[in-house]
Amino acid sequence: MLGTSLALLILTGCASAAPEVPEPAATLPAGAFVELQQLRSDVAGRQAQVHLVNDGDAPLTVREVRVEDDRFDGPAARVMEGRVSTVPAGSSVDIRVQLPPVDCTAPDDGEARVVLELVEDSDSTEVTASASDPLGFVAELHARECLLERVTDAASLVFSDFKPSAPGAPAALELTVTPTGGGALTVSGIGRTNLIDFAGPTSEEVHPLGVEVAEGDAEPVVVQIPIVPLRCDPHAVQEDKRGTIFDLGVELDGEAGEVELFVGEEMRGRILTWVAAWCGFGG
C-alpha cells in the first residue's frame, strides 16, 4: 500500500512540474497584412512607416503599434503615442514609428515583427504579424549605420560650417574629420544629392576628398567643399526631403563602403535659404 501511494505521489509531482504550453499569439484577422516602408521624408528623422492593409470584411481600429526586430536594440514605437487609427475594410493606413539605434551584434538579415493593439468596443487585443520589407531598407540601414559606428571609432565626421555665396558663385560646405584613435580611415569622396551639385571645371556625381586618417593622428582635417544648386526649381526646395543628406565614400580596414551624413536641421535651413536666393526665388 505504501508503494502504491509513493508511486502516485511521484506521478503527481511529475505532472505538476510539467511546463505550461504558452497560448499561441493572436494574429491579424483574415485579409489584413503589414509591410515596413521608409519614405524619403522619414530618413533624416530615422523613422519608418507600418503600412497596414485591411482587405477583410470589417474595419480595424489600432491603438498602440511597435516593431520588434533583432537588428535594433529595442522596439520601434509609434511616433504619436496614444493615437488611434481606424482602417475601413478595403483600405490601408501608414503609421509612423521611431526607429531605435541599431544593434551591430546582429546580422544584417533578419525579420521584423509588428505588434498591434486592436481595439473593439471596450476590449483590446495584441496581435503579432510578420512584416515584409519590400525595399529591404532595414538591412541597408543596419549595414550602413554599423559601418558608420566603426568609422566613428576611427574619426568623427561632421559638417561643421556653411558659407553661402552670391548667385553664380559656389558656396562652401565645410567637413571636419577628427581622429578618435580607433585606426586608419580614408574618406574618398562625397556624392551629389538631388539638390546639391559640386562646382568645378566638370560636373561630377562624386567630388573627390582624399582625406586620410592614420592610426595615432590627433589633428582634425577640415575640407572646404564648393557647392552649387543642382537645379533651380522652387519645388525642389519646398519639397526637399534628402537634399542635404550626403553619401560619403569611406575605406576602413580594407573595406570600402558608403555612410550617410546629414548636415543637421539648422544648417539645412540655411542651405535651403541660400538655394532659393541663389536661384532667384527667395524673395
Side-chain angles (χ1 to χ4, degrees), residues 200-215:
T202 59
S203 179
E204 299 177 330
E205 290 191 9
V206 177
H207 180 75
L209 295 176
V211 176
E212 295 186 359
V213 173
E215 190 167 0

Side-chain angles (χ1 to χ4, degrees), residues 22-49:
E23 294 185 4
T27 58
L28 281 170
F33 63 92
V34 289
E35 291 180 344
L36 278 184
Q37 302 176 351
Q38 190 178 54
L39 308 179
R40 288 191 302 171
S41 57
D42 298 325
V43 175
R46 293 192 80 263
Q47 296 177 354
Q49 311 275 340

Side-chain angles (χ1 to χ4, degrees), residues 165-188:
S165 62
L173 179 63
E174 183 179 278
L175 173 69
T176 298
V177 181
T178 305
T180 51
L185 169 71
T186 298
V187 184
S188 58

